[in-house]
Amino acid sequence: MQTADKPYRFPDSHGHFGPYGGVFVAETLIPALDELNAAYEACRNNPAFMAEFEYELKHYVGRPSPIYHAKRWSDSLGGAQIYLKREDLNHTGAHKVNNCIGQALVARYMGKPRVIAETGAGQHGVATATVAARYGMECVVYMGAEDVKRQAANVYRMKLLGATVVPVESGSKTLKDALNEAMRDWVTNIHNTFYIIGTVAGPHPYPMMVRDFQAVIGKECLVQMPEMAGRQPDCVIACVGGGSNAMGIFHPYIDVPEVRLIGVEAYGEGLDSGRHAASLTGGTPGVLHGNRTYLLQSEDGQIIETHSISAGLDYPGVGPEHAWLKDSERAEYVGVTDQEALAAFHDLCHLEGIIPALESSHALAYAAKLAPTLPRDKILLVNLSGRGDKDMHTVAEKSGIQF
Amino acid sequence: MSRIQSVFQSLRASGRRALIPFITAGDPAPELTVPLMHALVDGGADIIELGVPFSDPMADGPTIQRASERALRNGMSLRKVLAQVADFRTRNADTPVVLMGYANPIEAMGVERFVFAASEAGVDGVLIVDYPPEECKTFAATLKASGLDPIFLLAPTSTEQRIRDVAQIGSGYIYYVSLKGVTGSGALDFNDVAARLPQIRHGVGMPVGVGFGIRDAESARRIGEVADAVVIGSRIIEEIENSPRDQAVARVKAFVEGVRGALDQIQGAPR
């Protein structure tokens, strides 16, 4: 077994998390990444920048997000107590906005008037369009043509916010193809364009930068849990697609060894069915989208199509830091199926009056499995990374209901 | 001396430019790849860049991505590409073949296994788009140990330091990307290339090929005035795309002949 260094200090200066991460891009992108690296270093060491970031998180996003003790749900499960970190209460309804604000401020610092983004379900696109409107920036969002059809409401939302949505017709016409297209735009328009990546993947410094901006989630929990429950939780549980909400809540807890970190992947129709999106638990290491990480790929090294009921988890890779946390055994990675996630979705609606995102429902579903196996004085902290309004159509369809 | 080096040496001796066309292996059909390679040589190619199809060709434009998608639908894999090179070698022992592609299929095969198999098949050089020098020191060393040239890209934005890094780790030739963006995009700026190339050539101490944005005999000739080699990719893929299956080989050959003719009008060494 490889052991994580203590204190935990990753990535190294070249963006490596052990064998993962790095800068696997064409030469044409290297200067842009060097420029971004220098700008981000300057920003994060600048107290005025950080103060503005915090001000925006407080007054625009509504942070800190509360922690809520889901007592009725915990009682019904009959075991450990479940606490929810309410990222669903953020402006725009998910954790994505934390990172978008951070990157938009870096873009402004770099003097880039145009931001671009890729999006799958549309949540990161909406968050990017939102902050672009807030800071007066031009915004172009790349979205797979299939996803544009499936997520009409979010497409309209982005347009209302003034963004241009470009449907991507290449490849499987989903998130990974949108990412490819956004990279192409960036390499062509580097002089005036900032690429806001939505998750802890991509070439260095993105995995680190996105993690740093999302780490506000875990930092708040470190303070809030002792206030709420008198101590830190026994387990922190979060869903993992690209892995930004999980990295955000995990990272401040990495140096708290008694807290178990559990990432929950999308098993789709089941890990054995082959129709899933579980890169860490069902994939192998490789290189995609600028970093080395676990990937879902064929024997020949071609990236394969993924499946999950939750569009936000439907990605064939995962952030490189999760790959490292898995290999170093600091975090555990598990999965739940579409059906299990849906069951947790309905339970939270009925017992707590909270409609969770289908992504977050994966974390909830694993908590619902784990809680009954533990005594009542144990504490599980689940990152409720987003609200489920966007998923009404998907859930209704599964229940045989049409609007 | 590698096959690539000896090609450049004899071209230099006769004051000619290298013509390096690119096709994607398996496009439009696997059985046409070897005939296309021979047609490229018959049309006047000095080196062949053979694209290894990948599902997510991030640095390529839509034309080469479509070629990749067609090839993958045709069941292509890295293993099959190597078999095609071996097949090509049964009738051609002289024209260097450079594989161009992405890191993941090679990592899936395993670097050692790939380098051994490529060397056995008769591959001469390897250009992995998403392996910049800092991420592939071992890979480049393994290639060199087997007599294969690791080919690297340089861009208009590359710094002096990067030019030195690439000179140290690469061999064979340098592929200078003549414009910002992806393959097959926009028009290129001849003056920009002409201004930048002497510094690049001086910095790397090996031949410099220029690609991205070269679409016809005229743009090839103008680039050839200043470069050691001219690389043409997307335009040839378009020729394949727009030809009826049974005419693709002939039309590609005719296109390459036109470019060859234009390059051979150039007098003397690159400026």
Side-chain angles (χ1 to χ4, degrees), chain B residues 15-257:
Chain B
R16 296 169 77 221
R17 301 300 179 275
L19 172 55
I20 311 182
F22 168 97
I23 57 169
T24 298
D27 173 49
E31 62 273 17
L32 286 183
T33 299
V34 175
L36 276 168
M37 291 170 77
H38 289 302
L40 295 173
V41 175
D42 294 343
D46 300 295
I47 295 172
I48 295 171
E49 282 186 359
L50 188 60
V52 179
F54 181 49
S55 51
D56 293 77
M58 222 168 62
D60 285 298
T63 305
I64 291 179
Q65 170 151 20
R66 282 197 303 273
S68 232
E69 286 170 3
R70 284 192 295 268
L72 290 175
R73 273 200 302 275
N74 292 334
M76 284 304 292
S77 64
L78 178 53
R79 235 169 296 227
K80 290 180 182 171
V81 176
L82 292 172
Q84 289 172 333
V85 175
D87 187 2
F88 172 75
R89 278 279 170 257
T90 61
R91 274 185 50 209
N92 183 318
D94 304 320
T95 308
V97 174
V98 172
L99 295 187
M100 187 165 176
Y102 291 79
N104 202 53
I106 287 173
E107 297 212 350
M109 182 181 273
V111 165
E112 300 269 334
R113 271 184 64 198
F114 164 74
V115 172
F116 178 77
S119 172
E120 288 286 294
V123 169
D124 297 278
V126 180
L127 196 173
I128 300 304
V129 180
D130 52 353
Y131 263 164
E134 55 267 59
E135 297 290 0
C136 72
K137 297 219 158 59
T138 313
F139 178 67
T142 312
L143 283 176
K144 279 181 175 171
S146 294
L148 300 182
D149 286 312
I151 315 282
F152 285 92
L153 299 171
L154 281 175
T157 41
S158 298
T159 59
E160 287 287 333
Q161 180 59 47
R162 292 198 70 78
I163 295 171
R164 279 196 295 275
D165 290 349
V166 160
Q168 200 164 29
I169 190 173
S171 63
Y173 62 94
I174 290 297
Y175 186 154
Y176 181 71
V177 175
S178 51
L179 48 78
K180 284 179 238 156
V182 293
T183 53
S185 52
L188 63 100
D189 184 335
F190 295 102
N191 296 334
D192 240 33
V193 175
R196 197 68 209 282
L197 230 54
Q199 178 207 5
I200 301 269
R201 194 187 292 105
H202 178 76
V204 295
M206 61 183 115
V208 178
V210 174
F212 281 37
I214 299 171
R215 301 195 51 81
D216 51 27
E218 173 59 14
S219 49
R221 189 190 58 72
R222 292 188 66 185
I223 287 295
E225 298 274 351
V226 292
D228 301 292
V230 171
V231 186
I232 306 187
S234 300
R235 181 62 187 79
I236 293 177
I237 305 288
E238 284 168 17
E239 199 67 32
I240 292 171
E241 246 177 1
N242 298 331
S243 303
R245 212 31 90 88
D246 57 345
Q247 290 170 36
V249 173
R251 280 175 59 172
V252 165
K253 182 180 168 215
F255 176 78
V256 173
E257 277 170 345

